[in-house]
């Protein structure tokens, strides 16, 4: 439990005490202002005193003014009434008033002459007002949390990490080439004279480009940690405000602060929020963002020089950045931080597995091979989900069961184990997934089948996990693309041939197959139309990446494109039909196994293809039968 700080308690009590004093003072002044005052002359005062109407008086001598100030109440006055009179400063006058007091018996209070002291006058007249003003300002600052930004609206919001941070290169798994690209920055920050001797100029800016979750921010933190220099970090959206000129002011202030701490690093995350192309989009440009970008361009490479300041920025939308931002002299170097390969995934998994307890059966190397396309953030989430599942199941360590389930959860969502499924739906889904699997098993260039399940997840009734046989670059041959289309169509073919009906379950397969076929025709030049790129992705800066595509062809060519796409899909459908017909028994065997066990892995699939049965389940059945026979024999012996 978090303990209260005694100093905070004292401050709170003092604040409440000051608030109470202010309230009491306000009540006091309000009560004074409610008095009804009657002004008497000297004669009227003597007349009232002589007639016995005076209840009490207070006499205050004012020697400097030559008068006595008399204040009091008449007997018929209310509590909120009083009279005031000024009489000559004379012993005779004072004695006359006191004589009436003796005869009519009213109370007399005499106050000493306060004189003309400036300190006393200040204390009486100015001090209460000053206390009220100070208390009001103090209370207002407390109400606003002491963070009144009305006067520092244009100040930089970049946060400073004076020691560079605790993240080092050892905390960043993988990214070997990326680390080498930024090591020069670290060397320059530590020893700039080494570069200056040879006339070398260090890059002013490094742009980290890559998909989300690949470690761009972590790499920037590691650069600052290794260099051990001040590290400013800010998001691109922190510059853009409602009022024009605020963002530009914050950019100026940020560089001004950075100059005082040079050499240092500035890291701008999601720079595309402020660095988008100028003068684009529907309705013209955005004045505030454009002015902010202009100021950033000027600070990076304008008339002034910012020596010792290196900017690192990260984005996953380099296509929308302004060309002036990417030219040499600003962001001189672009470092692509891509998805990790198998070896890098193994290193990342080992980093995130340090504080977790795994069962002996868990093999990190095998897990890295089973997760192609996973980013570093995905891998961290995978192990965390596995740990949560192990805790939920009250296990002492994380096993492969939790890792498999966590992989499925990351890819497809949680399993719908309580959803009611009819036998007809279950058979349909099992045949559909078996069709995908058999294409993967029998087609030479198809991907390898790793897992089949008919447990619903997300919007899918089941799925077949197929992974590349060998991990390679983002290149694919025509045969591999045709094999992907054939595999996607295998589910529909299996439904049609073995179930006798077709369902809506293949809609996503058709969408993916058509997208691949169209890309083959219009982008990759893999059709009878020849090696011509007819369409190219040209996302609008404001309307979205793939809102529209540039179409530089006539309606006749558009018809030919549609014809070629249909030709590719129909040819793959015929190939899938041929394979399914030749392997009906295998499709039925896999379907029956899925109906019984719901999920089968790669090893079990290989055993089914080889032997036609699963020994694991048969051994369990034999054990159960033997135990039943032994129990029966024991019962019979007891009866005898």
């Amino acid at each position: 439990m978090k303990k209260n700080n005694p100093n905070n308690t004292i401050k709170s009590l003092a604040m409440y005490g000051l608030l109470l004093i202010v309230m009491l003072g306000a009540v006091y002044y309000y009560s004074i202002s409610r008095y009804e005052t009657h002004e008497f002359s000297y004669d009227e005062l003597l007349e009232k005193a002589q007639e016995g109407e005076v209840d009490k008086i207070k006499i205050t001598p004012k020697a400097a003014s030559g008068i006595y100030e008399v204040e009091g109440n008449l007997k018929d006055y209310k509590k909120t009434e009083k009279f005031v009179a000024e009489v000559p400063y004379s012993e005779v006058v004072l004695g006359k008033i006191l004589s009436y007091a003796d005869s009519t018996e009213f109370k007399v209070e005499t106050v000493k002459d306060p004189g003309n002291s400036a300190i006393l006058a200040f204390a009486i007249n100015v001090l209460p007002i000053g206390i009220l003003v100070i208390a009001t300002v103090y209370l207002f600052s407390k109400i606003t949390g002491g963070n009144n930004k009305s006067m520092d609206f244009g100040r930089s919001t970049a946060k400073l990490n004076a020691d560079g941070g605790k993240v080092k290169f050892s905390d960043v798994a993988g990214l070997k080439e990326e680390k080498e690209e930024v090591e020069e920055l670290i060397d320059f920050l530590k020893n700039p004279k080494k570069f200056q001797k040879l006339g070398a100029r260090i890059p002013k800016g490094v742009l980290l480009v890559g998909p989300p979750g690949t470690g761009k921010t972590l790499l920037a933190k590691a650069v600052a940690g290794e260099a051990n220099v001040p590290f400013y970090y800010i998001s691109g959206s922190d510059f853009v405000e409602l009022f024009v000129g605020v963002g530009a002011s914050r950019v100026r202030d940020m560089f001004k602060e950075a100059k005082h701490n040079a050499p240092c690093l500035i890291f701008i995350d999601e720079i595309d929020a402020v660095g988008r192309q100028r003068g684009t989009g529907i309705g013209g440009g955005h004045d505030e963002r454009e002015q902010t970008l202009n100021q950033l361009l000027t600070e990076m490479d304008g008339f002034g020089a910012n020596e010792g300041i290196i900017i690192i920025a990260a984005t996953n939308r380099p296509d929308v950045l302004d060309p002036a931002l990417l030219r040499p002299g600003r962001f001189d170097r672009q470092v692509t931080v891509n998805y990790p390969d198998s070896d890098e995934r193994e290193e990342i998994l080992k980093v995130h597995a340090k504080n977790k307890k795994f069962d002996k059966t868990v093999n990190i190397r095998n897990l890295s091979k089973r997760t192609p396309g996973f980013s570093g953030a995905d891998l961290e989430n995978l192990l965390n989900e596995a740990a949560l599942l192990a805790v939920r199941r009250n296990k002492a360590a994380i096993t492969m069961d939790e890792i498999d389930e966590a992989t499925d959860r990351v890819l497809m969502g949680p399993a719908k184990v309580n959803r009611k499924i009819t036998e007809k739906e279950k058979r349909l889904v099992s045949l559909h997934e078996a069709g995908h699997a058999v294409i993967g098993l029998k087609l030479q260039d198809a991907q390898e089948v790793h897992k089949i399940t008919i447990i619903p997840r997300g919007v899918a009734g089941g799925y077949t996990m197929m992974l590349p046989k060998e991990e390679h670059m983002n290149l694919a041959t025509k045969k591999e693309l045709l094999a992907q289309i054939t595999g996607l169509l295998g589910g529909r073919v299996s439904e049609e041939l073995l179930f006798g009906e077709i369902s809506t379950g293949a809609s996503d397969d058709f969408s993916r197959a058509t997208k691949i076929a169209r890309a083959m025709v219009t982008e990759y030049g893999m059709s009878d139309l020849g090696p011509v790129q007819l369409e190219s992705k040209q996302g609008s800066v404001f309307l979205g990446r793939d809102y529209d595509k540039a179409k530089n062809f006539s309606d006749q060519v558009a018809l030919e494109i549609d014809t070629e796409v249909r030709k590719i899909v129909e040819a793959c459908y015929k190939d899938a039909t041929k394979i399914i017909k030749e392997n009906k028994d295998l499709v039925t065997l896999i379907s029956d196994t899925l109906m019984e066990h719901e999920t089968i892995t790669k090893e079990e699939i290989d055993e089914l293809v080889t032997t036609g049965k699963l020994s694991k389940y048969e051994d369990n059945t034999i054990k159960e039968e033997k135990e039943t026979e032994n129990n029966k024999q024991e019962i019979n012996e007891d009866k005898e």
Side-chain angles (χ1 to χ4, degrees):
M1 183 181 289
K2 187 178 179 180
K3 296 182 179 179
N4 291 329
N5 191 342
N7 293 331
N8 293 338
T9 304
I10 294 172
K11 289 180 180 179
S12 299
L13 292 174
M15 186 181 70
Y16 286 121
L18 183 58
L19 179 61
L20 180 62
I21 292 172
V22 172
M23 291 176 64
L24 292 175
V27 171
Y28 174 72
Y29 278 104
Y30 179 69
S31 63
I32 289 176
S33 63
R34 289 177 58 203
Y35 270 97
E36 183 181 353
T37 305
H38 303 276
E39 294 186 358
F40 290 171
S41 64
Y42 173 59
D43 294 334
E44 287 176 333
L45 175 61
L46 292 180
E47 182 182 348
K48 297 289 184 183
Q50 186 176 5
E51 293 176 356
E53 296 180 12
V54 178
D55 182 33
K56 61 180 180 179
I57 62 172
K58 181 172 70 173
I59 302 173
T60 304
K62 300 284 183 73
S65 303
I67 61 171
Y68 285 106
E69 185 180 86
V70 180
E71 180 181 314
N73 303 92
L74 300 183
K75 291 180 180 180
D76 58 348
Y77 274 6
K78 299 177 182 178
K79 291 183 178 180
T80 57
E81 286 185 286
K82 66 177 180 179
F83 67 81
V84 176
E86 293 182 353
V87 300
Y89 189 82
S90 168
E91 294 292 335
V92 177
V93 172
L94 182 60
K96 199 169 188 179
I97 294 173
L98 294 177
S99 65
Y100 286 129
D102 293 336
S103 61
T104 58
E105 296 182 351
F106 60 82
K107 298 178 182 178
V108 178
E109 180 184 352
T110 305
V111 180
K112 292 182 179 180
D113 185 3
N116 54 358
S117 172
I119 297 175
L120 187 59
F122 175 82
I124 293 173
N125 300 313
V126 180
L127 191 59
I129 298 174
I131 292 174
L132 286 173
V133 171
I134 293 171
T136 303
V137 172
Y138 176 75
L139 292 176
F140 180 76
S141 65
K142 284 294 180 182
I143 292 171
T144 58
N147 194 22
N148 185 12
K149 294 184 178 180
S150 60
M151 300 303 293
D152 59 351
F153 200 60
R155 295 289 300 275
S156 170
T157 57
K159 299 177 181 178
L160 172 63
N161 198 330
D163 57 355
K166 298 180 181 179
V167 180
K168 306 293 182 182
F169 274 168
S170 57
D171 301 316
V172 183
L175 305 180
K176 295 179 181 178
E177 292 79 8
E178 292 80 356
K179 290 178 186 176
E180 291 175 359
E181 286 291 322
V182 295
E183 276 182 355
E184 288 181 358
L185 305 180
I186 300 169
D187 200 9
F188 172 78
L189 291 169
K190 289 182 176 179
N191 187 14
K193 294 182 180 179
K194 174 182 174 182
F195 293 84
Q196 294 169 357
K197 285 181 180 178
L198 297 178
R201 180 182 62 81
I202 201 69
K204 291 186 178 180
V206 175
L207 183 65
L208 303 179
V209 179
T214 50
K216 301 184 291 295
T217 303
L218 187 65
L219 182 62
K221 289 181 179 179
V223 172
E226 290 288 339
N228 197 26
V229 295
F231 175 53
Y232 290 91
Y233 56 99
I234 190 172
S235 172
S237 60
D238 289 336
F239 290 114
V240 183
E241 289 288 351
L242 175 64
F243 303 107
V244 177
V246 174
S249 175
R250 289 181 178 178
V251 170
R252 287 192 295 270
D253 189 65
M254 180 179 69
F255 277 89
K256 182 180 178 181
E257 290 183 15
K259 288 176 185 177
H260 295 308
N261 293 285
C264 68
L265 279 171
I266 296 176
F267 175 61
I268 305 175
D269 199 8
E270 304 297 344
I271 194 172
D272 52 275
V274 69
R276 288 173 179 255
Q277 294 180 24
R278 292 166 290 181
T280 55
I282 297 175
H286 189 294
D287 287 340
E288 161 62 2
R289 183 174 56 245
E290 290 186 6
Q291 286 198 18
T292 306
L293 176 59
N294 291 336
Q295 187 63 44
L296 182 62
L297 296 174
T298 304
E299 292 289 347
M300 289 186 70
D301 187 25
F303 290 104
N306 291 314
E307 298 295 337
I309 300 175
I310 297 177
I311 301 177
I312 301 178
T315 182
N316 53 8
R317 294 291 307 273
D319 53 314
V320 303
L321 294 180
D322 194 277
L325 199 62
L326 303 177
R327 74 158 176 81
R330 288 181 178 134
F331 282 106
D332 305 87
R333 184 177 298 178
Q334 291 189 32
V335 179
T336 302
V337 184
N338 219 324
Y339 289 112
D341 59 19
S342 178
D343 294 333
E344 291 174 331
R345 288 197 299 272
E346 183 179 1
E347 294 179 16
I348 294 170
L349 287 168
K350 286 180 179 178
V351 169
H352 296 303
K354 287 180 180 179
N355 61 339
K356 295 176 177 63
K357 188 176 182 181
F358 290 91
D359 189 73
K360 294 180 180 179
T361 58
V362 177
N363 190 318
I364 297 294
R365 179 62 183 170
N366 292 339
L367 180 58
S368 67
K369 293 180 179 179
R370 293 173 55 187
T371 51
F374 276 53
S375 66
D378 291 332
L379 295 172
E380 181 185 9
N381 187 37
L382 170 65
L383 294 184
N384 186 60
E385 287 287 344
L388 292 174
L389 286 169
V391 173
R392 194 180 303 171
R393 296 173 180 177
N394 295 320
K395 290 191 176 181
I398 303 171
T399 65
M400 280 305 299
D401 291 338
E402 284 75 44
I403 291 178
D404 286 337
E405 175 65 19
T407 305
D408 294 340
R409 289 172 71 93
V410 171
L411 290 174
M412 304 292 294
K416 308 291 185 180
V417 293
N418 295 323
R419 179 182 293 176
K420 292 183 179 180
I421 304 174
T422 64
E423 286 297 315
K424 180 180 179 181
E425 289 177 331
K426 195 172 182 181
R427 171 61 68 180
L428 180 62
V429 173
S430 65
L431 286 171
H432 183 100
E433 300 304 332
H436 287 310
V438 168
I439 299 295
L441 291 168
K442 297 300 180 179
L443 194 59
Q444 183 178 359
D445 295 301
Q447 294 182 330
E448 197 171 42
V449 182
H450 275 255
K451 185 178 182 179
I452 315 171
T453 180
I454 59 172
I455 299 174
R457 289 181 182 274
V459 296
Y463 78 97
T464 302
M465 181 186 290
M466 301 180 72
L467 301 175
K469 294 175 182 177
E470 293 182 358
E471 195 166 347
H472 49 72
M473 295 178 63
N474 296 326
L475 295 174
T477 64
K478 182 178 180 179
K479 289 184 178 180
E480 289 173 343
L481 293 175
L482 292 173
Q484 287 185 35
I485 297 174
T486 306
L488 290 168
L489 299 175
R492 166 55 70 86
V493 173
S494 179
E495 291 178 16
E496 187 177 1
L497 294 179
L498 299 178
F499 193 74
E501 291 185 39
I502 57 177
S503 70
T504 59
S507 61
D508 184 61
D509 298 332
F510 293 159
S511 174
R512 292 162 61 189
T514 306
K515 190 178 292 183
I516 295 172
R518 189 170 189 85
M520 290 175 65
V521 176
T522 61
E523 296 180 38
Y524 307 146
M526 296 180 178
S527 70
D528 293 340
L529 295 182
V532 180
Q533 189 176 52
L534 300 170
E535 290 181 351
S536 61
K537 294 178 181 178
Q538 189 174 356
S540 171
V541 176
F542 287 91
L543 298 182
R545 187 190 302 267
D546 298 324
Y547 185 85
D548 61 350
K549 291 184 178 181
K551 297 180 180 180
N552 302 315
F553 49 81
S554 64
D555 293 340
Q556 178 63 33
V557 176
L559 178 61
E560 293 178 6
I561 291 172
D562 294 338
T563 304
E564 288 295 322
V565 171
R566 187 178 295 109
K567 187 189 299 185
I568 291 173
V569 174
E570 288 177 353
C572 292
Y573 195 86
K574 288 180 181 179
D575 292 340
T577 303
K578 180 182 178 182
I579 295 171
I580 297 297
K581 284 182 177 179
E582 293 174 353
N583 298 275
K584 280 186 178 180
D585 294 338
L586 181 57
V587 175
T588 304
L589 177 62
I590 294 175
S591 175
D592 292 340
T593 307
L594 286 170
M595 288 287 290
E596 185 177 357
H597 305 294
E598 293 187 334
T599 301
I600 51 178
T601 60
K602 181 181 182 302
E603 294 77 13
E604 294 170 344
I605 295 169
D606 293 339
E607 187 179 357
L608 273 177
V609 174
T610 306
T611 64
K613 59 184 178 180
L614 296 180
S615 58
K616 179 176 71 173
Y617 296 108
E618 285 193 356
D619 293 342
N620 292 336
T621 305
I622 293 171
K623 285 182 180 180
E624 290 176 359
E625 291 176 354
K626 286 183 178 180
E627 289 177 359
T628 304
E629 290 177 1
N630 293 334
N631 292 335
K632 288 180 179 179
Q633 290 178 2
E634 290 177 359
I635 292 170
N636 292 331
E637 290 175 358
D638 292 339
K639 288 182 179 179
E640 293 175 357

